[in-house]
Amino acid sequence: MLAQLMTLFTSMELRSEKPSAVHSSKYVFEYEDRWLVVDKKEVSSREYALLSSLLKEVARPVGNTMAYEWIQFLKGQGDVPMQAGRDIRITQLFFEKPTTPLREVEEAVHAFFEDNIRLLPVSSQLAFLVEKVSTYIQTDEDYLSFAAALESDFFIKTKLFIGKFHQADSTFPAFFKQEEDLFTKGLSLLPDQQILTVESIFPSLLIQELPDHLHSVLQCQVVEPVSHDTELLKTVRTFFENGFNASVTAEKLHIHRNTLQYRLSKFQEKTGITVRNFDGALIAYYASLLADRT
């Protein structure tokens, strides 16, 4: 019978393991401790009735069908649940405490983003926001305001990873998997940071992956000469993070611009490194990251 079925339905697949998900465009039937998967579009109503009478169908779970299909797509186990080719990005929400149900989060998503963003509940501590590319792209400040509202209105504390836009096609699940891994590492490397991105995580990740001999170079050449003045490393790091803008850096540090210039000069005096050019600022920045870990 199996050979006849696979001849009749050219899309039919025989799997030795039960599928962890059943996409809405597929039928799945149990067959002698194995599973048959076939495209619905290839099965007529009469053929479906016949298959159902001969085999046990694996039912799809109840609940939010669209959210379910998105989750399966992101896992690489289903088709994209929208017109393929459009760019999307995923913002990952991590809840510091288990949060069920997510009704309050859904209300906040709708209030902040209306229909521009879809919430995908994953677990009691994780949800995804799907954002399609449009005339207005949500900013880091928008997501920070959203997180602040969750905390102030519903006492839900979150950390967010804002992903990058990428074409919604068969390559997206692998792209998203990289972002999932980065978020997991970012939660560990930057526990005090609420908004995470590739840009914010990558420097700390590089420091973690540096071989010991390069750690020693940073420690000896930069960290140790200023070890008795921790404000210097903090100052040059803030200077780097604010694009070498003296006014913004002074404002962030709550100091006068003259004080900032004095600290930068003092750092150069102690280390022989000027942070007024990119190369010097870069090594000083990585040294400050290293100092935070020791």
Side-chain angles (χ1 to χ4, degrees):
M1 182 180 71
L2 177 60
Q4 292 173 319
L5 288 175
M6 298 194 78
T7 300
L8 180 61
F9 303 108
T10 57
S11 69
M12 183 171 283
E13 304 172 39
L14 180 63
R15 302 187 184 179
S16 59
E17 295 184 2
K18 182 178 179 180
S20 58
V22 183
H23 194 266
S24 60
S25 65
K26 308 282 187 181
Y27 289 124
V28 179
F29 298 95
E30 188 173 351
Y31 176 78
E32 297 179 354
D33 296 325
R34 291 177 291 178
W35 288 266
L36 297 172
V37 182
V38 61
D39 287 343
K40 286 184 177 182
K41 61 184 179 182
E42 195 179 3
V43 182
S44 68
S45 56
R46 183 177 179 181
E47 290 167 338
Y48 173 74
L50 179 60
L51 286 171
S52 299
S53 66
L54 296 173
L55 304 168
K56 180 181 177 181
E57 184 179 2
V58 178
R60 299 178 70 245
V62 297
N64 188 326
T65 302
M66 184 57 69
Y68 171 81
E69 292 182 2
W70 270 106
I71 295 296
Q72 300 315 309
F73 166 66
L74 294 176
K75 291 179 179 178
Q77 298 173 353
D79 299 327
V80 57
M82 59 174 283
Q83 183 179 357
R86 190 172 179 181
D87 285 1
I88 61 171
R89 70 174 173 182
I90 305 296
T91 294
Q92 303 172 60
L93 303 180
F94 175 77
F95 307 108
E96 293 189 3
K97 294 182 180 179
T99 304
T100 53
L102 294 179
R103 178 177 54 82
E104 294 89 352
V105 180
E106 290 175 351
E107 290 176 2
V109 169
H110 182 71
F112 263 82
F113 308 115
E114 296 181 345
D115 297 325
N116 296 326
I117 290 182
R118 177 181 296 277
L119 177 71
L120 307 178
V122 179
S123 70
S124 62
Q125 283 193 276
L126 186 65
F128 301 148
L129 298 175
V130 182
E131 179 182 355
K132 300 175 184 177
V133 69
S134 63
T135 54
Y136 179 78
I137 302 300
Q138 304 297 328
T139 66
D140 291 6
E141 289 73 21
D142 292 328
Y143 281 113
L144 196 57
S145 297
F146 168 69
L150 285 181
E151 184 169 355
S152 62
D153 295 348
F154 305 112
F155 308 103
I156 298 174
K157 293 185 177 181
T158 62
K159 294 183 184 298
L160 299 85
F161 179 94
I162 303 174
K164 302 295 185 187
F165 282 101
H166 185 81
Q167 194 172 74
D169 56 18
S170 59
T171 67
F172 192 88
F175 175 82
F176 175 64
K177 180 63 169 61
Q178 290 183 337
E179 295 190 332
E180 279 191 301
D181 293 342
L182 276 174
F183 189 31
T184 300
K185 293 172 181 175
L187 289 172
S188 174
L189 292 170
L190 302 168
D192 298 326
Q193 199 158 318
Q194 188 170 27
I195 300 292
L196 298 168
T197 61
V198 172
E199 298 95 313
S200 66
I201 295 172
F202 210 75
S204 295
L205 192 59
L206 285 178
I207 283 293
Q208 186 184 53
E209 299 296 327
L210 277 181
D212 290 343
H213 73 279
L214 292 183
H215 276 199
S216 298
V217 170
L218 288 176
Q219 186 72 29
C220 179
Q221 297 285 333
V222 189
V223 177
E224 290 180 3
V226 296
S227 60
H228 298 297
D229 194 344
T230 56
E231 288 296 323
L232 294 184
L233 276 178
K234 180 181 178 182
T235 299
V236 297
R237 178 171 175 173
T238 307
F239 187 60
F240 183 90
E241 290 175 338
N242 288 281
F244 310 106
N245 187 309
S247 297
V248 174
T249 302
E251 183 179 350
K252 289 284 182 70
L253 294 173
H254 307 291
I255 60 177
H256 194 275
R257 278 187 57 138
N258 291 344
T259 305
L260 172 63
Q261 298 301 333
Y262 169 77
R263 290 184 183 177
L264 296 180
S265 297
K266 189 176 180 182
F267 179 84
Q268 182 175 352
E269 178 186 331
K270 288 181 172 292
T271 63
I273 297 171
T274 176
V275 296
R276 291 181 175 84
N277 63 53
F278 181 79
D279 291 342
L282 182 62
I283 192 172
Y285 177 68
Y286 276 109
S288 71
L289 296 178
L290 176 62
D292 282 350
R293 299 181 63 236
T294 57

